[in-house]
Structures are given as C-alpha cells and as structure tokens.
Amino acid sequence: MRPLRSLTALALAVAAALPFTATPASAAPPPWSYIHNSSFSSVGIGVVYETSDGGAIYDAILPVNRRTDRHLGWAQAEGYYIGPGYCADSYYQIGGVEHRYDVRVWGQLETPRIAATTDTDGVARWVVVAYSCIR
C-alpha cells in the first residue's frame, strides 16, 4: 500500500501535466428589451428593470453612452426616470432606424415592448437623450 503523501504528490503531478483550458462560457441570451443612454445625453438616467414590481422610481443609474443589457446585465428594461430640471427624448429602433416616441419633462416613462416598438428579431431597442431643461 502506498503512503497517502505519495498518492497526493502523484495526483498533483498529473494535474500539473494536463493542459489548462477554460471551458467557454455560454453566450448570454439576447435581451428582450434594452435602453441605451445616448452619447448625446448630458447626464446619467435612472432605469427601471420592471415597472410592475411596485418598487422604487428606478432600479439603477445608467451612465451616458451605456446600455442596460451590457452595462447592467439586464435581459429587459421597461422604463427610465429623469430628475427635476432635465428632459429626455426617447426613440425606439426598428431595422436600425430611430422613431421618435416621447419627450419627457422629468418623471418616469415606460418603454413598452409591444409590436409597434419591437424589431423583427423580437428585441425592443430604446435610445434616450437626456439634457438640461433649465435655460
């Protein structure tokens, strides 16, 4: 019978000789909907993961030129919030073309994932441009 110490050493030697290969991470599923805080925005915006959860006015702050799916890892984004003194123009994209949806003078706005605002691949792509309303 071999001593335990030599079996452990043998196991470590075998493990060290094996090539190190990381298993590829499975790709994240595409989002259902996302919000992109445009590079033309002058401020971060509050973003809402789910509007019907009865929670806070917004769930996270989305910095300028960031998307909720990439920056926050969200599969969906159902709205955004603009604070007092700020306005926002929102657009949805279909086939790479932006369509104006709403102009918001502070407050919360839903970004619905409905047939009219959803692209042919089933993803609702929203762009928000936030700016100061104070002149």
Side-chain angles (χ1 to χ4, degrees), residues 56-135:
I57 296 174
Y58 59 89
D59 298 309
I61 298 290
L62 186 63
V64 172
N65 202 26
R66 296 287 189 267
R67 287 176 24 175
T68 53
D69 60 328
R70 294 179 180 165
H71 185 73
L72 300 170
W74 292 0
Q76 68 182 30
E78 292 188 353
Y80 67 92
Y81 172 80
I82 298 297
Y86 288 90
C87 295
D89 298 337
S90 59
Y91 305 84
Y92 59 92
Q93 294 180 341
I94 296 196
V97 177
E98 290 183 353
H99 303 272
R100 187 176 212 151
Y101 184 72
D102 194 16
V103 175
R104 173 64 52 182
V105 179
W106 86 273
Q108 188 183 62
L109 179 73
E110 287 188 41
T111 52
R113 183 177 177 260
I114 57 175
T117 62
T118 303
D119 212 334
T120 57
D121 62 356
V123 178
R125 294 171 172 83
W126 289 89
V127 177
V128 176
V129 180
Y131 51 92
S132 174
C133 294
I134 301 172
R135 306 216 184 233

Side-chain angles (χ1 to χ4, degrees), residues 5-95:
R5 187 179 316 178
S6 64
L7 287 177
T8 303
L10 178 63
L12 290 174
V14 169
L18 294 173
F20 178 74
T21 57
T23 351
S26 61
W32 298 343
S33 61
Y34 67 79
I35 296 173
H36 175 218
N37 188 11
S38 171
S39 60
F40 297 109
S41 289
S42 61
V43 66
I45 60 174
V47 285
V48 180
Y49 181 79
E50 185 176 356
T51 55
S52 63
D53 68 357
I57 296 174
Y58 59 89
D59 298 309
I61 298 290
L62 186 63
V64 172
N65 202 26
R66 296 287 189 267
R67 287 176 24 175
T68 53
D69 60 328
R70 294 179 180 165
H71 185 73
L72 300 170
W74 292 0
Q76 68 182 30
E78 292 188 353
Y80 67 92
Y81 172 80
I82 298 297
Y86 288 90
C87 295
D89 298 337
S90 59
Y91 305 84
Y92 59 92
Q93 294 180 341
I94 296 196

